[in-house]
Amino acid sequence: MTKKSIGYMLIPFLTLLLTSCGDNSVSVVAQLMIEKEGSPRVIAHRGANEWYNESTITAYQIAAESGVDSLEIDLRMTRDGELIAMHDETIDRTTNGKGRVSDYTLKEIKTFRTLESNHSKVVTEEIPTLKEIIETFRDSQSYYIETRLVNGELAMEEKLIQLLEKYQLLEKNLVTIQSFSEESLLKIKELAPHTELALLFRKGSFSLEKASKVDFPIIGIESTDVTQKIVNELHKKGKEVHVYFIDRQTQKEEQERVMEYQVDGYFTDYIHFTKEILAI
């Protein structure tokens, strides 16, 4: 359970206590409790992808320099079992290559380059491994890592935990692990019981009943599925609500909308904008 979620769990108790005492400032006290626990998390979605090739060392460096709370890293596994930073199942969209990540060895993956147009100049950078990202930042950053099944099977969890333990990131509480796969999160919990875990729900598939019952302290929801009722109910259960956005054209508007609901985290593609609206 997160520190902020403990704060939310105390709010109903404070409300009852102050009401019985005739205090009319319950909402103010509740708000102060939330604020004391800290501002919402600003999570750099695939690094500072607004300015540089997503999921690259440079993108993560720019995000770190921008003062985000966590670096979000999507994991894929190569044919020879190495963990790399890549959102898609294939390398087609973001690199000069084609094909599924799982069909390539790491050596083969390293022959491709990420692509982006930056001021009419083609910028290229290799696809990084998770190890290379961690060795760049060590314990100077927090990491928000997404796991997934590999060809429908649990495959990356043990390797991931071994790597995080090697760099002592778990014992320093610098890692949150998220997944759409409940099976993957349960495996992580078995391997590293005290790791902060977040269950993701795909757009249109959110279930408040399930989110309320699962034993994970953070719930990740696509922005258009977020309502005030959902946030309130999950806060009552001691859970944080972290919001992701799949439409960049409406993302800023959606960030401002969900901000009114006091969500706890933003997977942002617009770091400066998010920090500006949150006044942090």
Side-chain angles (χ1 to χ4, degrees):
M1 183 175 294
T2 63
K3 292 181 180 179
K4 185 180 286 187
S5 66
I6 294 173
Y8 283 126
M9 292 181 70
L10 288 174
I11 288 173
F13 170 76
L14 288 173
T15 300
L16 178 63
L17 177 63
L18 291 173
T19 301
S20 67
C21 296
D23 195 309
N24 294 320
S25 59
V26 174
S27 62
V28 175
V29 172
Q31 180 62 32
L32 288 174
M33 171 70 78
I34 294 171
E35 291 176 354
K36 185 176 180 180
E37 293 302 323
S39 301
R41 295 193 215 182
V42 178
I43 305 156
H45 187 227
R46 307 177 200 171
N49 75 86
E50 179 184 4
W51 300 300
Y52 201 82
N53 313 21
E54 68 180 58
S55 304
T56 59
I57 296 290
T58 299
Y60 289 120
Q61 287 174 325
I62 296 172
E65 291 167 2
S66 298
V68 298
D69 296 301
S70 298
L71 306 177
E72 192 261 356
I73 306 169
D74 298 285
L75 293 185
R76 292 283 175 182
M77 180 172 269
T78 62
R79 194 176 73 212
D80 51 346
E82 296 298 325
L83 298 176
I84 67 168
M86 175 69 60
H87 175 269
D88 298 359
E89 183 179 11
T90 73
I91 62 174
D92 299 32
R93 179 178 62 88
T94 57
T95 80
N96 60 354
K98 291 185 180 297
R100 289 157 41 109
V101 173
S102 59
D103 289 338
Y104 290 107
T105 65
L106 179 60
K107 184 177 180 180
E108 291 168 336
I109 282 288
K110 286 295 187 178
T111 66
F112 301 112
R113 291 293 182 270
T114 61
L115 299 177
E116 184 70 24
S117 177
N118 183 13
H119 302 296
S120 300
K121 178 183 178 181
V122 175
V123 180
T124 67
E125 183 171 327
E126 69 177 23
I127 303 166
T129 63
L130 177 61
K131 181 179 180 180
E132 288 168 340
I133 296 171
I134 291 174
E135 288 187 339
T136 299
F137 299 101
R138 301 279 175 160
D139 60 0
S140 68
Q141 296 295 314
S142 291
Y143 304 86
Y144 209 121
I145 301 171
E146 182 177 340
T147 62
R148 49 177 44 87
L149 301 181
V150 179
N151 298 321
E153 302 290 337
L154 292 170
M156 60 175 60
E157 291 77 15
E158 289 190 14
K159 182 124 187 171
L160 170 60
I161 293 302
Q162 289 171 3
L163 186 61
L164 296 175
E165 288 178 338
K166 177 181 177 180
Y167 291 92
Q168 302 179 311
L169 298 178
L170 294 179
E171 64 184 72
K172 295 179 181 179
N173 296 317
L174 293 175
V175 178
T176 301
I177 296 178
Q178 63 176 337
S179 187
F180 288 101
S181 169
E182 194 172 351
E183 185 181 4
S184 179
L185 292 180
L186 291 173
K187 182 62 176 181
I188 294 291
K189 190 171 184 177
E190 175 187 324
L191 296 169
H194 302 296
T195 306
E196 185 175 64
L197 302 176
L199 178 63
L200 298 171
F201 285 83
R202 299 190 187 281
K203 179 178 180 178
S205 68
F206 178 76
S207 166
L208 180 58
E209 180 180 6
K210 180 175 181 179
S212 299
K213 291 181 178 179
V214 294
D215 191 21
F216 306 121
I218 300 172
I219 302 298
I221 312 175
E222 195 273 330
S223 69
T224 59
D225 287 335
V226 178
T227 65
Q228 185 70 76
K229 177 183 176 181
I230 286 172
V231 176
N232 289 347
E233 289 300 314
L234 291 177
H235 282 172
K236 287 178 184 178
K237 297 292 184 179
K239 298 180 186 295
E240 291 190 17
V241 178
H242 293 186
V243 182
Y244 68 93
F245 309 84
I246 61 175
D247 188 339
R248 292 186 71 133
Q249 292 187 345
T250 62
Q251 181 175 155
K252 292 181 179 180
E253 179 182 335
E254 279 291 279
Q255 286 196 23
E256 291 181 309
R257 183 180 71 85
V258 300
M259 181 182 68
E260 298 299 320
Y261 303 155
Q262 297 180 332
V263 301
D264 309 285
Y266 297 75
F267 292 95
T268 183
D269 297 300
Y270 301 106
I271 295 169
H272 289 174
F273 174 82
T274 308
K275 295 183 71 173
E276 180 179 347
I277 65 172
L278 295 175
I280 56 177

